[in-house]
Amino acid sequence: YRALDTCLKVNALLRAYNPGREVVQIDTEWGMHCGGPNGERADYVDRNANIVGTVHRAVRLIYYAREGMLAGASAWQMLNRVGAQGFAVLGPTVPEQRFMLYWLYYYFNRHVGEWALDLEGTAPRYTPGEGDASGFKEGGFTGPQTPILATLSKEGDALFLVIANGSWSKAVPCRIEIRNFHVAQAEGILLSHGDPDGKPLLDRKEDLVSPLPASIDNGVLTCTIPPHSVTFLAVQE
C-alpha cells in the first residue's frame, strides 16, 4: 500500500506540473522491494519472489488493473539464474521447472477480462503496527487485507475474480452476490505456499497451485480464501 500511495502521489504531481497535457506514469522493473533486510540486492532475496513477493505483486496487479492508476506496468525480469531468484520467472538452466511468479502471471493473464466491474462490500482491514515488518507506525499505509478484482470478458459470457489474502495466518470466508449475470458454474485456482522463506523455484507445480472449491447457490458464490494466497475464480453462464 505504500507503493500504491506513491503511485497516486506521482500522478498528482504530473497533473499539477502539466496542465492541459496528457502525461502518464508507467511502472517498470518492479518487485516487492529494492533490497534485502541486510542490504542484499533484491535479486538474491528469496522473499522478493517466493509466496511473500507473489502475494505482494498480486495486490499491486489488482489495483493497477482495477483503478487504472498507471498507463502500464512490467516486472523485472523474465530470465533468471538459479542463484538469483529474487525476480525469477523462467530459468534457462532449468527449462522444465517454473518459478512462483510464472504461475502468478500465467493465471492472472487468464483471469482478467475486458471490463472492470463495480464492487460493493466489506473486507478485513490491514493496519500496520509497531511490530510490522514494514517499519511503519499504526495508522500508516492501511488497506483491505483481501483486495479483489472483478472483470467481465469481452463477449460478456465469463466473469473473473482475483482475490489476494495478505495475512499469513488468517483465512477469510468469502460470499459474493453476483448481479445481472446468470451464474452456471465456477472454477477456482489457488496459489499458496507454506514457507515464507521457501525458494521461488518449484520442484513441482502442485507445490504452489491447487484447485479451490467454490459453490454457487442462487447467484451467490461462496468459498474460503486461505491465508498468504492468491485466488483466481472463473464464473461462467
Side-chain angles (χ1 to χ4, degrees):
Y1 287 118
R2 177 165 59 105
L4 295 170
D5 183 74
T6 299
C7 290
L8 295 176
K9 288 178 178 177
V10 171
N11 281 338
L13 286 171
L14 290 174
R15 290 192 299 270
Y17 284 97
N18 295 276
R21 299 175 61 196
E22 182 181 4
V23 180
V24 299
Q25 181 180 180
I26 299 176
D27 191 358
T28 64
E29 301 186 12
W30 61 274
M32 186 176 75
H33 50 63
C34 59
N38 298 313
E40 310 95 328
R41 284 180 55 189
D43 309 61
Y44 302 96
V45 180
D46 289 335
R47 285 195 178 191
N48 193 33
N50 68 9
I51 190 60
V52 180
T54 296
V55 175
H56 170 94
R57 285 167 173 81
V59 173
R60 287 174 73 161
L61 287 171
I62 285 170
Y63 281 96
Y64 285 176
R66 195 183 78 190
E67 304 296 336
M69 61 178 66
L70 300 173
S74 61
W76 176 264
Q77 57 196 24
M78 180 183 290
L79 303 176
N80 296 74
R81 293 175 287 109
V82 173
Q85 300 187 19
F87 294 97
V89 178
L90 292 170
T93 61
V94 286
E96 301 302 320
Q97 292 179 261
R98 297 290 181 268
F99 294 91
M100 292 188 188
L101 293 180
Y102 172 90
W103 293 113
L104 171 66
Y105 300 140
Y106 179 94
Y107 285 108
F108 193 91
N109 284 323
R110 286 160 175 78
H111 289 79
V112 175
E114 186 76 11
W115 315 105
L117 302 177
D118 291 334
L119 296 165
E120 293 181 358
T122 59
R125 192 79 177 172
Y126 163 73
T127 301
E130 291 184 359
D132 188 85
S134 66
F136 292 98
K137 295 182 179 180
E138 184 129 3
F141 298 93
T142 68
Q145 176 186 314
T146 53
I148 181 172
L149 168 69
T151 59
L152 187 68
S153 67
K154 185 175 182 179
E155 297 76 16
D157 58 352
L159 187 150
F160 303 103
L161 301 168
V162 183
I163 309 170
N165 184 351
S167 170
W168 187 257
S169 59
K170 296 180 181 178
V172 177
C174 180
R175 181 183 183 277
I176 299 176
E177 180 182 350
I178 301 174
R179 302 171 184 170
N180 304 316
F181 185 89
H182 175 70
V183 178
Q185 61 179 353
E187 295 182 356
I189 294 290
L190 177 72
L191 306 186
S192 189
H193 192 273
D195 186 355
D197 293 303
K199 284 291 184 182
L201 181 63
L202 298 166
D203 293 326
R204 305 177 309 134
K205 173 184 176 181
E206 292 76 15
D207 293 337
L208 177 75
V209 182
S210 62
L212 179 79
S215 61
I216 296 289
D217 184 17
N218 292 325
V220 177
L221 183 151
T222 57
C223 62
T224 298
I225 309 301
H228 53 272
S229 71
V230 186
T231 294
F232 300 94
L233 292 160
V235 182
Q236 296 179 330
E237 291 185 322

